[in-house]
Amino acid sequence: MRAPPSFTRGTIMQHVHTARTETIGSRENGFARSSDGALDIRLSSPAGNRLGTNPEQLVAIAWSASFASSLKHVADIRRIKLHADVRIYANVELSSDDQGYVVGVRLDIYLPGLDREIASALVEAARLECPYCRATHGNIHAFYNLV
């Protein structure tokens, strides 16, 4: 399947990956699975009694994993060795206001062994590269903190 024309950015884009999932039901009582069978989960509401994963948890994992890959990439380009214990703690918050629900994200980034100035520069470069950061820029309040 090709991306719709609205996804083009003026350059020829090379397709990298398509994730396909099926969701039956909703966050309160649903199920979701990936087409390759690697993911097969029950969905639940954050405040519900049902065992399962809520959409905010899935976004937190996806965003932090993508950001970690972007951090590694920009560190490799700059020939900066990252410690094996790099950690990203993702907080995805669902809030509401008078216009409906809104999502906020905070990534707390642990880069052991790096000077704070170098670590800050890597975080900024990764923020500009990460597909999740770019896709949501201006739509989701996102904060990136060194811990």
Side-chain angles (χ1 to χ4, degrees):
M1 175 189 284
R2 296 181 57 104
S6 63
F7 287 163
T8 60
R9 298 185 302 190
T11 61
I12 296 174
M13 295 181 74
Q14 180 179 346
H15 177 264
V16 176
H17 176 70
T18 298
R20 286 183 173 72
T21 64
E22 175 185 29
T23 301
I24 302 167
S26 67
R27 69 168 58 233
E28 286 82 20
N29 61 357
F31 296 88
R33 62 180 167 239
S34 59
S35 61
D36 63 3
L39 182 67
D40 190 354
I41 58 172
R42 293 174 72 141
L43 299 174
S44 68
S45 177
N49 308 15
R50 177 182 162 145
L51 290 177
T53 302
N54 62 64
E56 292 73 30
Q57 291 168 320
L58 296 169
V59 170
I61 289 170
W63 196 318
S64 61
S66 180
F67 194 84
S69 294
S70 295
L71 262 176
K72 182 180 180 335
H73 183 251
V74 298
D76 288 348
I77 288 172
R78 295 174 184 205
R79 298 184 181 184
I80 297 171
K81 178 85 169 122
L82 292 179
H83 192 278
D85 200 26
V86 168
R87 295 178 189 211
I88 299 176
Y89 303 93
N91 301 277
V92 173
E93 298 175 352
L94 181 64
S95 303
S96 65
D97 61 16
D98 58 349
Q99 295 180 359
Y101 290 102
V102 294
V103 174
V105 173
R106 186 182 80 232
L107 298 184
D108 293 327
I109 303 146
Y110 176 62
L111 295 172
L114 288 183
D115 173 81
R116 190 161 186 87
E117 189 173 313
I118 291 170
S120 292
L122 285 179
V123 167
E124 180 60 20
R127 188 187 65 74
L128 295 174
E129 180 179 298
C130 174
Y132 282 80
C133 299
R134 290 192 350 246
T136 59
H137 181 74
N139 299 311
I140 292 178
H141 294 289
F143 301 95
Y144 307 89
N145 304 308
L146 284 172
V147 293

